Amino acid sequence: MRKIMETKRKTHKKVVLTPEQKLARKIQQAKNREKKNQQNEIRKIFSNMGYERIPGIAGVHFTYDNRTTEMDDVFVCENVILLIEYTTEQKPGDHLLKKSVFYNKVNENYTAFIDFLIEKFPNDVFKKYYNEKIKEKYPQTYQLQLRILYCSRYDVGEEQRRNVSSVYFFDYHIVQYFKMLTKVIKRSAKYEFLNYVNIPHQDYAENILNSSSSSKYKGYILPESRSSFRKGYKIISFYIDAESLIRRAYVLRRESWRQEENIRLYQRMLENSKITSMRKYLHEQGRVFINNIIATISIDDIALKKIRFDAENKCEREEQININKAGDFASNNSAHIENIIIEIKDKYNIIGIIDGQHRIYAYHEGNDIYENTIRTLRQQQNLLVTCIIYPPQESQYEQNRFEANLFLEINKNQKKINSALQQEIELIVSPFSTIAIGKDILKVLNENGPLRSKLVQYSYDKHKISTASIVSYGLRPLIKLDSTASDSLFRVWDNPNKLKLIEKNCNDDELRQQYVEFCSTKIRDILIAFKKHLELDNRWESYSAVNKNGILGVVLINGILNVLRLLVEKNQLYTPDEYYNKLNGIESFSFRSYTSSQYRKMGEMIYQKFFM
């Protein structure tokens, strides 16, 4: 009799997670996705700009100058080496502090660190890359440029940034800017990035092997007497190849990665579909666009020279054209000069494009099916540029306003400008309007204090508080530029020069900034007191599925701003501690019973209960 052995299959009892464990797992999975998305996003940016990622370095621990550490990524393009650190910590200060010792050691002598990567790194991946792709072209390590990029998904405080030297903070809004830019103009975005990490044109790639710092172009000059532009403004016209123009150009304003309002401008100034269609035209027709490019430039970035025929030596020679601080020709120059040499510095972001940005960037260095054709056209074809020269004494503020006004003037009779874009540009044109001042106040409040990093500043901000209604219904009545308005902070501001802000053509940016700081301080004082009372149980946070206790939002902020309006009207402004004492019991106030249209009503009720 055959004995049949029965075997029992082992079964694993299913682990049942508690609701708390499920939530913790969900949160951890979300964090992992966030970190992976951040890495992929930034890697794509550098890939689009032509950087190569060196595999085999990420996560390898090593000791450099008695400091053990590791790197998340290393990218290389030509003679530029980038050390990358990613973090999605919501409070990255401690993480940055740990890395700062290593960063400071590298930046003390980055050539020594490059030598370490080549000779002493735990594996030979960098050494192999260096020998195969760098050494022949740049045989001396001092010809290489190294930069450290700290890529934090969340804001790094100014005090924490000061702990490290020569580190470039690739903040999330800057990442989004370069993501947009590299998506549209691919490798030609490298010039903007080189400007961001402070690598001058003469130190990049083959330029470091020669000493040329400018290029010459033949053109014409037209003084303001023949153009009817304001006094001191000159107009020059010249032809320049597309490649040389792209590396010097910026669209509308140059500080794109330093001022968040320009992030939004650039998003709307370059249309991917339009550039693609124009690249198709160049590929199929091979002809240059005949319209001229309208641009601006500072006299500090160019030199103008007459061409004179030297009869004695029977040759042409160049004679400097001198322009004084007011933008006037020196006495020995005529009022109308033709046939000149225009010498333009090899610098990034010096030619501001007012009209024609798509015609220029259609020539960008891309990776599409048209690139083989356009690569040749980019160097061969010349674009006609009509450029307004600013007088040396013109302030950056006046230059910005002139560029924005000129853009609106050129486009008003063409295809209708996107209304959101027009609003952004008009903020440049009218920076002393209450709306513009209000936006700057919110920017300051978002940088530090009770509202730090809680307000929407960019279109891609999620789970943050929208600011449009705060500016319109909370701030504008509180900060209006009216010295007779009893409920405006402007009335109680004791600056002796404040009435200048009301003048029609005021351009005193320092005075404007002082008012922004005054209003921000007075608003922050009362917010501090409210937060101290309401921060228990995460109430001083936005309501969400994760935090159902949150009450912070547009309604609460506008309600508090309306409390402040009443306090201003009654001359009852206090210190943060005094506000805190006055607000005893505010924890039990029924904030949720007020809707978005009841800001004023909430403010009045809080005032009556706690300040009368």
Side-chain angles (χ1 to χ4, degrees), residues 5-11:
M5 301 294 294
E6 293 183 1
T7 59
K8 292 184 178 180
R9 184 178 297 173
K10 290 183 178 181
T11 59

Side-chain angles (χ1 to χ4, degrees), residues 127-365:
K127 182 177 184 178
K128 183 179 179 182
Y129 185 94
Y130 173 78
N131 288 332
E132 292 177 357
K133 298 189 177 183
I134 300 177
K135 187 174 182 179
E136 183 177 353
K137 198 170 184 180
Y138 310 103
Q140 306 299 326
T141 53
Y142 66 77
Q143 295 172 326
L144 305 180
Q145 300 288 321
L146 183 144
R147 296 293 186 271
I148 299 171
L149 264 71
Y150 188 80
C151 310
S152 176
R153 172 62 182 82
Y154 298 97
D155 295 342
V156 181
E158 285 301 320
E159 184 177 349
Q160 296 156 340
R161 292 173 190 248
R162 288 194 291 268
N163 290 327
V164 292
S165 59
S166 302
V167 168
Y168 292 85
F169 291 91
F170 213 39
D171 296 330
Y172 188 65
H173 71 274
I174 299 175
V175 169
Q176 296 306 308
Y177 167 70
F178 279 103
K179 178 182 176 181
M180 179 282 303
L181 197 63
T182 57
K183 181 180 178 181
V184 177
I185 63 173
K186 300 298 188 293
R187 295 193 176 192
S188 291
K190 63 189 175 187
Y191 302 117
E192 184 81 11
F193 180 75
L194 290 169
N195 192 32
Y196 170 67
V197 294
N198 195 30
I199 298 177
H201 176 68
Q202 64 266 25
D203 291 340
Y204 174 66
E206 294 179 355
N207 304 316
I208 203 165
L209 306 176
N210 60 65
S211 58
S212 176
S213 61
S214 62
S215 301
K216 295 181 179 181
Y217 305 91
K218 289 186 177 181
Y220 299 87
I221 189 167
L222 184 69
E224 69 276 10
S225 60
R226 305 297 180 95
S227 68
S228 299
F229 274 106
R230 68 178 70 172
K231 181 174 171 51
Y233 280 54
K234 306 291 185 292
I235 295 179
I236 58 175
S237 291
F238 58 94
Y239 282 100
I240 182 172
D241 63 278
E243 185 173 86
S244 297
L245 181 55
I246 285 173
R247 73 169 179 262
R248 293 176 169 90
Y250 65 94
V251 181
L252 193 63
R253 296 182 75 188
R254 73 184 67 187
E255 305 297 347
S256 50
W257 33 263
R258 291 179 184 158
Q259 299 177 10
E260 73 276 354
E261 63 266 25
N262 295 314
I263 307 297
R264 300 189 292 268
L265 281 173
Y266 268 65
Q267 286 174 333
R268 301 183 180 112
M269 292 298 292
L270 293 175
E271 298 176 20
N272 196 16
S273 59
K274 190 171 183 179
I275 286 180
T276 300
S277 68
M278 296 176 82
R279 282 175 72 82
K280 184 174 184 289
Y281 170 87
L282 287 172
H283 171 73
E284 294 175 349
Q285 303 299 325
R287 293 198 298 264
V288 70
F289 301 111
I290 60 173
N291 309 65
N292 61 328
I293 309 297
I294 308 299
T296 60
I297 195 168
S298 169
I299 192 65
D300 294 334
D301 294 315
I302 60 173
L304 306 177
K305 300 177 181 180
K306 297 179 187 179
I307 301 175
R308 289 286 183 259
F309 182 75
D310 189 333
E312 183 178 344
N313 296 308
K314 296 182 179 180
C315 66
E316 289 185 341
R317 62 183 179 82
E318 298 175 4
E319 180 181 314
Q320 182 77 32
I321 298 173
N322 296 313
I323 296 178
N324 63 24
K325 289 183 178 181
D328 298 323
F329 290 123
S331 58
N332 62 334
N333 289 303
S334 64
H336 188 201
I337 305 171
E338 295 185 352
N339 196 21
I340 65 169
I341 294 292
I342 301 163
E343 187 171 341
I344 307 177
K345 291 181 180 179
D346 267 324
K347 291 171 59 179
Y348 310 123
N349 283 24
I350 60 172
I351 299 179
I353 308 303
I354 306 299
D355 187 56
Q357 64 270 23
H358 292 95
R359 277 170 275 149
I360 297 170
Y361 286 107
Y363 289 91
H364 73 261
E365 186 179 350

Side-chain angles (χ1 to χ4, degrees), residues 331-561:
S331 58
N332 62 334
N333 289 303
S334 64
H336 188 201
I337 305 171
E338 295 185 352
N339 196 21
I340 65 169
I341 294 292
I342 301 163
E343 187 171 341
I344 307 177
K345 291 181 180 179
D346 267 324
K347 291 171 59 179
Y348 310 123
N349 283 24
I350 60 172
I351 299 179
I353 308 303
I354 306 299
D355 187 56
Q357 64 270 23
H358 292 95
R359 277 170 275 149
I360 297 170
Y361 286 107
Y363 289 91
H364 73 261
E365 186 179 350
N367 54 9
D368 55 16
I369 59 175
Y370 311 124
E371 177 58 23
N372 285 338
T373 304
I374 293 175
R375 181 183 294 113
T376 301
L377 300 180
R378 191 163 47 244
Q379 297 178 348
Q380 288 182 348
Q381 292 189 346
N382 285 342
L383 301 174
L384 175 60
V385 178
T386 297
C387 205
I388 297 100
I389 304 176
Y390 296 121
Q393 68 181 15
E394 196 75 307
S395 68
Q396 187 64 54
Y397 164 76
E398 285 297 334
Q399 292 179 31
N400 292 341
R401 289 187 68 178
F402 176 82
E403 290 178 11
N405 271 314
L406 186 58
F407 174 85
L408 291 175
E409 181 182 325
I410 291 171
N411 287 277
K412 67 180 179 182
N413 294 322
Q414 298 181 19
K415 181 181 177 181
K416 186 177 180 181
I417 306 171
N418 177 287
S419 59
L421 172 60
Q422 188 163 352
Q423 288 178 8
E424 298 287 352
I425 294 173
E426 286 180 350
L427 287 178
I428 303 170
V429 176
S430 305
F432 288 83
S433 69
T434 306
I435 293 292
I437 291 173
K439 281 181 170 288
D440 272 359
I441 290 170
L442 285 188
K443 178 184 174 184
V444 173
L445 293 174
N446 194 60
E447 289 173 352
N448 57 72
L451 295 182
R452 184 179 183 275
S453 300
K454 296 186 182 299
L455 304 175
V456 168
Q457 293 291 305
Y458 313 103
S459 59
Y460 45 80
D461 277 337
K462 296 180 180 179
H463 312 302
K464 292 190 177 183
I465 303 166
S466 178
T467 59
S469 294
I470 297 176
V471 172
S472 297
Y473 302 110
L475 272 179
R476 188 163 63 173
L478 176 64
I479 65 170
K480 52 185 174 284
L481 301 178
D482 184 350
S483 59
T484 63
S486 60
D487 59 349
S488 172
L489 284 169
F490 189 77
R491 179 183 64 82
V492 297
W493 185 33
D494 60 2
N495 190 300
N497 300 315
K498 68 180 184 180
L499 293 181
K500 288 184 179 180
L501 283 181
I502 304 176
E503 295 176 1
K504 184 177 180 180
N505 296 317
C506 178
N507 61 1
D508 192 334
D509 193 56
E510 183 178 349
L511 184 63
R512 178 189 183 275
Q513 186 57 36
Q514 289 172 3
Y515 185 54
V516 168
E517 291 172 359
F518 171 78
C519 292
S520 302
T521 299
K522 294 305 177 185
I523 295 169
R524 189 185 290 114
D525 285 348
I526 193 169
L527 289 173
I528 289 171
F530 270 91
K531 181 186 177 183
K532 281 184 178 181
H533 280 288
L534 300 174
E535 61 186 348
L536 292 178
D537 300 323
N538 292 320
R539 295 185 73 195
W540 192 258
E541 299 290 344
S542 299
Y543 176 88
S544 67
V546 177
N547 178 28
K548 295 184 178 181
N549 291 330
I551 60 172
L552 185 62
V554 173
V555 177
L556 177 58
I557 293 172
N558 277 351
I560 294 172
L561 293 176

